Amino acid sequence: MRTRMFCVFSLLLAAVLCSAQTSSPSSSIPHEIPVFDTNAIDKSIDPCVDFYQYACGTWMKNNPIPPDKARWGRFDELFERNLYILRDILTEAQAPGKRSATETMVGTFYGSCMDESAIEKKKTAPLMPELERIHGIKTEADLMRQIAAMHRNSISALFDFSSQPDMHDSSETIANLDQGGITLPDRDYYIKDDPKSVETRQKYVEHVEKMFELAGDKPDVAAAEAKTVLTVETGLAQAAMDRTVRRDPKTRDHKMTVAEIAGAAPNFNLAVYFADNGSPRFTSLNVSNPDFFKQVNQQLGTMPLEDWKVYLRWKTIDEYAPVLTKAFVEEDFLFNGKYMSGKKEMEPRWKRCVKATDGNLGMALGKLYVDRTFGAEGKERTLKMVQAIENAMRQDIGQLTWMSDTTKKKAYEKLNTIVNNIGYPDTWRDYSTVVIKPDDYAGNTVRAEAFDVQRDYKKIDKPTDRKDWRMTPPTVNAYYRPPMNDINFPAGILQPPFYGKLMDDAVNYGAIGVVIGHELTHGFDDQGRKYDAEGNFRDWWTPEDAKEFEARADCTANEYSNFVSVKDDKGEVKLNGKLTLGENTADNGGLKLAYMALNSIIGDTPVKPLDGYGATQRYFLAYGQIWCQNVTDQEARKRVMTDPHSPGRWRVNVAVQNSAGFQQAFGCKAGQPMVAENACRVW
Ligand SMILES: [Zn+2]
């Protein structure tokens, strides 16, 4: 159904990425992507005036956004290539002959997704069990029982429930209750009164109405229901905490007993919910936003039960839409793909099905992917670079003039404890209890998602499983987890354009090296620094050093807030420097650390220029080029509200403006745009 968000600091937001053209199943895997591409460069631009335009100008001109995409960049090129590889694996897995249990499982799942005629024949049948249960709700307790049932099947409704490491003892995992239940990507869509937000709500109501009609409701009924959905969700949005405020872990740190939260929000009938949601029994938990529960408690007390039933019907239909008939899939695309993201057309079915297989059985498909693409030597090579960049950070901390030795000692301790996870997990997930049938795509999806929910709930009140991965091996991304204090690089990203076996160090350090440094810096950004070496939310800074850090972080936040993300007929939107603070800190830190590591390898040995560029120039160009991208205005608008990462242009230009190494490499002088007047630097 839909991808769930999870709380890790990734390199880029998990994006919905699709294809350029409809291709026949026999079309072959696209060529490997160049790591360093002189054809991407626009030599008519002065690198000291606009480095991003210089590094990527020709690439951007030659790579317009394909009609079925909202964003097209070099990450997406690689992801696209991975889709072809995965399709080959899935096509072979379906072919007759002796197959392993893993192959049979992923092949059958993929086949069930591709079988559109079986899906059409079922019409709205997959929705019916859930809708009938909702119809049968008679009391407030029934309502909570139904929400528990929906959560078991991974259908979002009213609030979120999951497991997470205890913020004060990360070795134990506990239950966590959180705000939730809205459908639009952020609470601000429901609250803001600017013309674009008003228009978005109007389009949303029209979309909900159409979906209710597809589910069989009469137009006038559907219209009234859509308005009810907006009213319910607006209440939930008003009670929700702003995502920038939530960056501070303190705002989410509320351990309490079940009796305490149940007493503070009696209309939630939490005792009924916990008894029915399939989680083990527990007596204490964390509540990320207790005020949400107190405020919505009132809404639950005043709004008629019938309105809540309408809302639950909507959440069910919306969640199921991608696995239902063409009519549902198309209406879902018109709103979420076209209106919200600016895609012109839907991606071909096979790509959606490959992604669905990765989303639902990703650790099984991932094993087959790793067997085919990633040898043990891939792990070793990456580990060597990780160690070189960790050494650079050690050196960097040692050189800081603003940090006391007391805090430095703790910082080293944290750095030395970081766990490096590379490529794929040590043990593969066992999906053998998930029933996958050839002609039951919706059922397969629900069962796979229910399995995932159970896997998550089973962690409650158990020792934390630090070896569990949050991204599947083919994913083109990387992440850091504060409670685990680990950096993770899936196999999908450890290839061109991020890493080239035959490339010079300068280029590999500028690409994957900066990615490694970026993830490492997350352990020490505005959020990460608040967790200690064990992953506990605990202050290990002297008050003076914390003040020095905050001053430097504020500099970065203010610096990025000056730049414009999108300017269209609906007006101009600037970056939110506070929302993107951690990622911007990581970009600047990553660029600095990988540069230090490269210089310690090169030393004083002269390196011959290649393609007309010296080693340090190649380093910065490789960095610039991993962010070459084109984005639709609609997608840029959505991301500025929801994405903690800055757009590619600013990830590159602001980081190099702050880099003395860059200015030296390209001979940029004070007063030129790529030389910041007051360069911000945290790490
Ligand atoms: Zn990041």
Side-chain angles (χ1 to χ4, degrees):
M1 295 186 267
R2 300 192 187 278
T3 346
R4 274 187 305 279
M5 287 295 296
F6 45 82
C7 189
V8 293
F9 302 162
S10 67
L11 187 68
L12 80 168
L13 197 69
V16 182
L17 304 163
C18 332
S19 76
Q21 289 294 321
T22 307
S23 321
S24 70
S26 61
S27 69
S28 58
I29 296 166
H31 288 300
E32 220 171 62
I33 300 146
V35 184
F36 183 82
D37 190 0
T38 47
N39 293 323
I41 297 171
D42 181 350
K43 290 202 171 154
S44 71
I45 303 286
D46 181 344
C48 296
V49 171
D50 186 343
F51 184 63
Y52 185 67
Q53 201 62 34
Y54 178 78
C56 294
T58 306
W59 186 96
M60 289 193 285
K61 205 172 76 203
N62 293 336
N63 287 276
I65 306 166
D68 58 353
K69 300 225 174 20
R71 185 187 69 183
W72 185 240
R74 300 192 80 220
F75 268 82
D76 310 295
E77 282 185 291
L78 175 55
F79 185 83
E80 183 81 359
R81 191 168 180 275
N82 274 347
L83 286 181
Y84 280 82
I85 296 171
L86 293 172
R87 182 182 55 175
D88 273 4
I89 292 170
L90 289 166
T91 308
E92 280 168 35
Q94 283 179 288
K98 205 168 157 14
R99 300 284 160 212
S100 68
T102 303
E103 283 176 307
T104 305
M105 167 171 271
V106 297
T108 308
F109 185 94
Y110 177 71
S112 75
C113 176
M114 291 300 287
D115 189 351
E116 288 183 272
S117 74
I119 293 168
E120 291 300 320
K121 261 187 228 144
K122 288 203 161 85
K123 299 197 172 99
T124 55
L127 279 172
M128 287 310 152
E130 211 72 75
L131 294 188
E132 273 160 22
R133 277 196 292 269
I134 294 168
H135 184 73
I137 294 174
K138 299 263 183 322
T139 66
E140 276 75 16
D142 288 348
L143 179 72
M144 282 308 142
R145 269 182 217 111
Q146 175 56 23
I147 289 172
M150 287 166 68
H151 285 183
R152 276 203 307 265
N153 285 341
S154 191
I155 301 170
S156 118
L158 194 59
F159 58 88
D160 285 349
F161 177 79
S162 62
S163 73
Q164 69 168 36
D166 187 333
M167 286 174 78
H168 298 280
D169 177 10
S170 69
S171 66
E172 284 293 315
T173 290
I174 58 170
N176 188 56
L177 265 185
D178 203 353
Q179 65 188 44
I182 58 172
T183 308
L184 290 169
D186 190 81
R187 63 162 218 157
D188 281 1
Y189 283 99
Y190 297 88
I191 296 167
K192 281 180 148 179
D193 273 327
D194 60 285
K196 181 71 186 169
S197 302
V198 172
E199 181 199 276
T200 304
R201 287 196 288 275
Q202 192 193 326
K203 297 273 184 197
Y204 175 55
V205 169
E206 287 166 18
H207 163 63
V208 177
E209 185 183 331
K210 281 185 195 139
M211 293 290 255
F212 272 124
E213 283 182 39
L214 288 176
D217 296 352
K218 294 214 171 63
D220 55 329
V221 176
E225 287 173 330
K227 289 201 182 84
T228 302
V229 166
L230 184 67
T231 308
V232 171
E233 293 192 359
T234 303
L236 302 180
Q238 281 162 343
M241 203 192 304
D242 174 84
R243 76 171 68 227
T244 304
V245 174
R246 279 171 69 91
R247 289 186 59 75
D248 185 349
K250 204 168 86 192
T251 64
R252 291 176 272 116
D253 176 26
H254 310 281
K255 186 130 182 224
M256 43 179 84
T257 63
V258 169
E260 276 167 341
I261 184 62
N267 295 336
F268 274 85
N269 285 300
L270 284 170
V272 173
Y273 170 81
F274 291 138
D276 258 39
N277 76 346
S279 70
R281 283 186 167 275
F282 52 88
T283 52
S284 65
L285 76 169
N286 186 61
V287 183
S288 295
N289 182 3
D291 285 344
F292 173 85
F293 289 86
K294 287 176 198 159
Q295 204 170 319
V296 176
N297 186 61
Q298 210 168 353
Q299 196 183 346
L300 275 165
T302 51
M303 209 168 252
L305 196 56
E306 285 311 309
D307 288 3
W308 290 105
K309 289 164 72 171
V310 168
Y311 164 72
L312 294 191
R313 288 184 77 229
W314 160 243
K315 294 306 284 179
T316 304
I317 296 165
D318 178 57
E319 192 77 39
Y320 271 85
V323 300
L324 295 175
T325 61
K326 211 169 166 214
F328 282 94
V329 173
E330 275 174 2
E331 175 53 35
D332 185 50
F333 170 78
L334 286 178
F335 181 72
N336 289 307
K338 199 167 189 175
Y339 177 71
M340 292 297 284
S341 289
K343 289 178 198 168
K344 292 192 177 69
E345 55 187 56
M346 220 187 303
E347 61 187 339
R349 180 95 195 162
W350 75 262
K351 290 190 184 174
R352 282 179 273 146
C353 290
V354 170
K355 287 197 286 186
T357 315
D358 179 51
N360 286 287
L361 301 170
M363 289 299 177
L365 178 59
K367 182 182 184 310
L368 303 175
Y369 173 83
V370 164
D371 288 347
R372 184 166 301 202
T373 61
F374 194 74
E377 81 285 355
K379 221 165 180 163
E380 263 166 51
R381 283 199 315 259
T382 314
L383 194 59
K384 249 176 102 177
M385 287 184 82
V386 171
Q387 283 159 351
I389 291 162
E390 283 174 350
N391 283 337
M393 183 151 216
R394 213 162 280 126
Q395 200 187 327
D396 181 50
I397 292 168
Q399 289 166 357
L400 294 178
T401 50
W402 55 268
M403 192 188 264
S404 70
D405 287 344
T406 319
T407 307
K408 278 184 183 176
K409 207 174 142 235
K410 301 274 183 197
Y412 289 136
E413 208 177 289
K414 179 161 184 179
L415 179 61
N416 294 340
T417 320
I418 287 178
V419 176
N420 306 314
N421 294 321
I422 293 161
Y424 50 92
D426 292 341
T427 48
W428 291 102
R429 195 167 297 167
D430 177 9
Y431 291 98
S432 57
T433 56
V434 185
V435 177
I436 302 294
K437 299 178 189 169
D439 58 352
D440 188 15
Y441 178 44
N444 290 341
T445 306
V446 173
R447 287 186 291 273
E449 295 203 348
F451 168 81
D452 215 35
V453 169
Q454 265 310 301
R455 221 177 57 81
D456 181 53
Y457 289 2
K458 272 186 198 155
K459 295 176 181 173
I460 293 170
D461 285 349
K462 296 260 168 57
T464 297
D465 177 6
R466 291 178 187 267
K467 287 285 166 196
D468 196 29
W469 281 62
R470 299 307 299 262
M471 284 181 187
T472 66
T475 308
V476 185
N477 207 338
Y479 62 98
Y480 171 81
R481 290 183 292 195
M484 310 293 192
N485 196 27
D486 64 1
I487 50 179
N488 305 267
F489 306 95
I493 199 172
L494 302 172
Q495 52 181 325
F498 293 93
Y499 187 90
K501 276 182 209 168
L502 305 174
M503 294 311 289
D504 45 321
D505 284 330
V507 163
N508 281 334
Y509 273 85
I512 194 73
V514 179
V515 171
I516 295 167
H518 172 110
E519 297 310 331
L520 205 54
T521 307
H522 272 316
F524 303 87
D525 71 11
D526 61 315
Q527 292 186 76
R529 78 168 189 90
K530 292 180 176 164
Y531 293 79
D532 67 11
E534 276 77 49
N536 294 322
F537 174 44
R538 190 177 67 83
D539 193 359
W540 47 271
W541 294 63
T542 68
E544 298 75 31
D545 291 341
K547 238 170 103 184
E548 292 286 341
F549 177 94
E550 294 298 340
R552 282 162 178 79
D554 282 349
C555 176
T556 306
N558 293 332
E559 186 180 35
Y560 280 81
S561 294
N562 287 322
F563 300 105
V564 174
S565 169
V566 58
K567 196 174 170 177
D568 60 15
D569 56 340
K570 293 282 187 307
E572 176 186 281
V573 189
K574 284 194 166 165
L575 300 188
N576 178 349
K578 285 205 157 66
L579 175 64
T580 54
L581 177 56
E583 297 300 335
N584 297 335
T585 305
D587 281 342
N588 282 273
L591 191 64
K592 170 94 198 290
L593 297 176
Y595 189 67
M596 287 171 72
L598 173 68
N599 280 318
S600 68
I601 291 172
I602 295 177
D604 295 329
T605 339
V607 181
K608 266 216 299 227
L610 287 166
D611 307 312
Y613 294 98
T616 53
Q617 291 180 326
R618 287 170 69 79
Y619 171 84
F620 287 104
L621 277 167
Y623 172 65
Q625 290 189 343
I626 62 172
W627 295 113
C628 295
Q629 60 183 218
N630 287 307
V631 188
T632 64
D633 288 345
Q634 293 91 326
E635 182 71 10
R637 274 185 174 274
K638 188 170 80 186
R639 282 178 184 267
V640 93
M641 282 168 83
T642 56
D643 189 348
H645 305 85
S646 296
R649 171 175 296 276
W650 305 119
R651 295 189 79 154
V652 173
N653 274 357
V654 190
V656 301
Q657 279 172 47
N658 290 332
S659 164
F662 167 77
Q663 286 136 23
Q664 209 181 350
F666 284 90
C668 304
K669 303 272 175 306
Q672 287 191 288
M674 293 298 106
V675 183
E677 214 172 303
N678 299 304
C680 297
R681 190 193 150 197
V682 181
W683 300 105

